Amino acid sequence: DWTPGTPAANRLKGSYHWMNERAVSVISLPLLATAFIYGSNPINDMLMGIVLPVQVYMTFDQVLTDYFHARRWPMLSRVLKFSLVAMAGLAMFGAWRINTTDVGLTNYCSRLWNANKKKTEKTEKTE
């Protein structure tokens, strides 16, 4: 029966990881509040396009680390980590495209949020 050995403990890595997660969370709160209160702003939209995918990446990276550990599932862990990096990169690229060639993240989310309301209003007017 083969059991993998435990790696050497590294307290600094865990504390830095925890501090980075908290810092990203603290940074995202004023960005979302600013977008909610003041509406669209190009600088705020660009910062949200960076911070929100990083926060999602860090959260899912921790989930993968906890539940798909590399010592137990070496190949699956590598595939999932690569997929996570690719998706985070695509999310940042998509946010950049929305911010530079379209209306910005705040207006885009507002349009998505209100799309069903506008559709309902149009059908009520026609009836």
Side-chain angles (χ1 to χ4, degrees), residues 111-127:
R111 286 181 180 181
L112 286 175
W113 187 267
N114 295 318
N116 195 24
K117 292 177 187 175
K118 291 179 182 177
K119 187 177 179 181
T120 307
E121 288 174 2
K122 286 182 182 178
T123 56
E124 288 175 359
K125 288 180 183 178
T126 57
E127 293 176 356

Side-chain angles (χ1 to χ4, degrees), residues 25 27-38 44 48 52 55:
S25 297
I27 289 169
S28 65
L29 286 175
L31 290 175
L32 293 172
T34 302
F36 183 72
I37 294 169
Y38 296 111
N44 193 40
M48 281 195 317
L52 294 179
Q55 184 175 14

Side-chain angles (χ1 to χ4, degrees), residues 76-95:
L76 180 62
S77 176
R78 292 174 89 186
V79 168
L80 290 175
K81 293 268 184 166
F82 177 78
S83 300
L84 179 62
V85 170
M87 289 298 165
L90 285 172
M92 283 187 184
F93 177 73

